[in-house]
Each structure stands twice: as structure tokens, then as C-alpha cells.
């Protein structure tokens, strides 16, 4: 992931946690802090894990973010979006789509007790941000393809410059070799 996406990912984790402390009244802020720190640990481990372990940590992260939505309110949908950013970039397309569907189902199950307006708002936020994430992913791939083509074009340009230099050198050798000799065109006609 790029530095900007990492900043976005951690911003989607930290800012809603701070806002949740300010907006909601919790019975025990210590437990909230512990759960949030567990999520941060899971995110950090997932970022450094191999591809096979990334699937495990991604699955654990989506389950934990859905549970945080259930336990601490709908503002915790934003850490769920942070998980979407992670598993869409670290998993194959089919696995990421499966994770997304499971994640959406878990979030809906977590917010069943919420007001219908909150459920609609959460679903729309989740789906719109996932769509924007997909657009970012495609733009990033298009940029990578463009950079690859640019490198290939630069290699071809370098090869053409080498061929041009060899051709110029060959031309100067031929012109230099023929300058002292008389050619058939320079001879006087036979009498």
C-alpha cells in the first residue's frame, strides 16, 4: 500500500475512536480502549504478515470491526472501511469479494438493533466508500500499467539511439574509406 493509503487506513481507525469517546457514553472506557488497541494490534500484524496469514488477520479484522459496531455504535463503521481498504489490496479478487460480502452481512447483523435510519446510513456509507475504494484500486492499477509502458518505451528509445549511433559510425567509416579512392562514377569514360 502507498503511504497515503496507510495514512487513510490509520485515520479511519483513530479518528472514529476519538469521536466515539466524545459522542457516546460508555459504561467502561477502559474496555473500549482495550478493544481498540486489540484492533490496532491486529491491523499492524496484518500489514506485516505473509499473504496466507493476511487472509486470517483480514478475517479476524472484519469480524472485530463488525463486533465493535455492535458494541460501540455506528461510528465504528469507519474502522470497517479501513479493513476494506486492506483486504481489497492484499487478497485476490475473489477472496476480497467474499470478504466484502461477509463483512457487509456481519455489519448488518451487528446493527439489527439500531434504528432503520442508522442501518441505511451505515450501509450507504459502507457501499459508497467501497465503490470509491474500487475506483482508487483501478486507478492505481492503471497508473502501474502506464509506468510499465513508459519504461518499455524508454528502453525502445534507448535501443533506437544505440542503433542510430552505430549507423552514423558505419556511415562515417564508409565515407571516410571512399574519400581517397576513385569510384566507378568518378572515372573518365573509356575511349
Amino acid at each position: 500500500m502507498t503511504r497515503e493509503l496507510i495514512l487513510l487506513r490509520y485515520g479511519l481507525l483513530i479518528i472514529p475512536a476519538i469521536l466515539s469517546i466524545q459522542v457516546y457514553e460508555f459504561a467502561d472506557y477502559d474496555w473500549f480502549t482495550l478493544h481498540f488497541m486489540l484492533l490496532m494490534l491486529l491491523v499492524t500484524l496484518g500489514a506485516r504478515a505473509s499473504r496466507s496469514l493476511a487472509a486470517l488477520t483480514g478475517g479476524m479484522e472484519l469480524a472485530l470491526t463488525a463486533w465493535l459496531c455492535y458494541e460501540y455504535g455506528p461510528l465504528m463503521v469507519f474502522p470497517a472501511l479501513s479493513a476494506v481498504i486492506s483486504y481489497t489490496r492484499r487478497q485476490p479478487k475473489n477472496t476480497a469479494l467474499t470478504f466484502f460480502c461477509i463483512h457487509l452481512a456481519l455489519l448488518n447483523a451487528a446493527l439489527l438493533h439500531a434504528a432503520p435510519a442508522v442501518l441505511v446510513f451505515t450501509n450507504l456509507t459502507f457501499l459508497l466508500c467501497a465503490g470509491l475504494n474500487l475506483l482508487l484500486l483501478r486507478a492505481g492499477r492503471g497508473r502501474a500499467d502506464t509506468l510499465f509502458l513508459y519504461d518499455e518505451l524508454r528502453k525502445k528509445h534507448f535501443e533506437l539511439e544505440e542503433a542510430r549511433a552505430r549507423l552514423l559510425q558505419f556511415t562515417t567509416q564508409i565515407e571516410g574509406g571512399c574519400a581517397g579512392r576513385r569510384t566507378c562514377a568518378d572515372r573518365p569514360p573509356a575511349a
Side-chain angles (χ1 to χ4, degrees):
M1 274 197 286
T2 64
R3 188 174 59 123
E4 292 84 11
L5 282 175
I6 291 171
L7 286 173
L8 177 64
R9 180 155 158 71
Y10 284 103
L12 285 171
L13 291 169
I14 295 169
I15 293 170
I18 293 169
L19 290 175
S20 291
I21 289 173
Q22 299 297 319
V23 171
Y24 299 125
E25 291 290 325
F26 298 131
D28 192 1
Y29 288 100
D30 294 338
W31 281 107
F32 176 78
T33 305
L34 176 67
H35 295 147
F36 177 71
M37 295 307 282
L38 284 174
L39 177 63
M40 291 298 286
L41 176 67
L42 192 59
V43 166
T44 306
L45 288 175
R48 290 167 175 40
S50 64
R51 188 166 287 261
S52 60
L53 286 178
L56 176 65
T57 58
M60 290 170 57
E61 186 180 350
L62 69 92
L64 182 59
T65 57
W67 181 80
L68 286 173
C69 256
Y70 170 75
E71 191 69 26
Y72 296 112
L75 263 180
M76 289 290 112
V77 75
F78 294 103
L81 293 172
S82 173
V84 171
I85 290 172
S86 175
Y87 63 69
T88 54
R89 281 166 177 72
R90 294 186 51 94
Q91 301 299 326
K93 187 177 180 179
N94 292 335
T95 306
L97 184 61
T98 304
F99 273 19
F100 180 78
C101 293
I102 292 170
H103 205 175
L104 188 60
L106 286 174
L107 283 174
N108 280 312
L111 294 172
L112 275 179
H113 68 282
V118 171
L119 189 61
V120 168
F121 166 74
T122 303
N123 278 320
L124 282 177
T125 302
F126 191 74
L127 291 172
L128 287 174
C129 289
L132 290 173
N133 179 48
L134 182 63
L135 289 175
L136 276 174
L137 191 62
R138 287 183 181 167
R141 287 182 182 153
R143 183 174 180 254
D145 291 344
T146 302
L147 288 174
F148 175 75
L149 290 174
Y150 178 73
D151 286 343
E152 290 294 317
L153 183 62
R154 190 173 47 186
K155 286 178 194 175
K156 296 292 182 190
H157 179 70
F158 184 73
E159 290 172 5
L160 283 173
E161 280 297 316
E162 283 182 343
R164 180 181 167 273
R166 284 193 308 267
L167 187 60
L168 284 174
Q169 182 183 11
F170 181 70
T171 303
T172 56
Q173 287 176 352
I174 290 178
E175 288 175 354
C178 289
R181 298 187 202 154
R182 291 178 56 110
T183 62
C184 295
D186 295 338
R187 293 185 190 159

